[in-house]
Amino acid sequence: MTVLASVATVVASARAEVSALHGELVRYGLVAWTSGNVSARVPGTDLMVIKPSGVSYDDLTPSSMVVCDLDGTVVDGDLSPSSDTATHAYVYRHMPQVGGVVHTHSTYGCAWAARGEPVPCVLTAMADEFGGEIPVGPFAPIGDDAIGRGIVSTLAGHRSPAVLMQNHGVFTIGKDARAAVKAAVMCEDVARTVHLARQLGSPLPIPAADIDRLYDRYQNAYGQRPASRE
Ligand SMILES: [Zn+2]
């Protein structure tokens, strides 16, 4: 296989994966209208695949996805990329271990973001997935690198793959796009549960040593071997 043919193959695979994963945002109730987006780094390249801007989820297809370089410039595609493309590109440039990025305005995550309040780690499922609280990133204007800078500065050195950008919404990262979608689903799930717990009392914190043990077990020993734990 020539180099060009192999790039075409991985791009086609990423187009199909990113298109299909948007269906998960709908299935789990994380999006209204066209407000959330998924992207994937194309393995072995300096390219990313992202949702086109303003297209209904039902109308997304692999061929309607947009391929951009890691500065957010369109390389291949007939439609304009998501208005959040610069943010996704910034994350890929500055977090080389990240292979997927998701953004949603999911209801309960946004409720915490609107207050600028981290979701405290009060459930074992949170310790498993996030390794602690889900942190809040700064308020940032839309349209330049400010959101990307806020995501990277908040998540760098943090175990959480999710950040609540203040007054805005949820951004998640993962080793690939599917992992980032999973983090977005889990973030909304625990944001909802902890919100509900708050209604009748004060949720009990989990001691830090127990959070560490839970996180280590889930990240290193949980699930099927050697396939993905997801
Ligand atoms: Zn947004």
Side-chain angles (χ1 to χ4, degrees), residues 84 103 105 168:
D84 297 306
H103 174 46
H105 297 163
H168 183 171

Side-chain angles (χ1 to χ4, degrees), residues 130-146:
F130 301 97
E133 68 176 20
I134 300 176
V136 172
F139 175 75
I142 293 170
D144 61 11
D145 282 345

Side-chain angles (χ1 to χ4, degrees), residues 21 27 34 51 58 72 85 98 111 137 151 160 201 206 215-217:
L21 283 169
R27 186 153 76 102
T34 64
K51 179 183 178 291
D58 284 350
T85 297
V98 169
I151 295 167
S160 173
I206 300 175
Y215 181 75
D216 181 67
R217 179 199 67 93

Side-chain angles (χ1 to χ4, degrees), residues 123-161:
L123 296 164
T124 58
M126 284 193 69
D128 288 346
E129 180 70 24
F130 301 97
E133 68 176 20
I134 300 176
V136 172
F139 175 75
I142 293 170
D144 61 11
D145 282 345
I147 297 175
R149 283 198 305 273
I151 295 167
V152 171
S153 65
T154 305
L155 292 183
H158 205 293
R159 294 194 290 208
S160 173

Side-chain angles (χ1 to χ4, degrees), residues 27-48:
R27 186 153 76 102
Y28 286 97
L30 304 186
V31 288
W33 201 238
T34 64
S35 66
N37 42 69
V38 179
S39 72
R41 188 195 296 271
V42 181
T45 72
D46 290 326
L47 300 172
M48 57 185 260

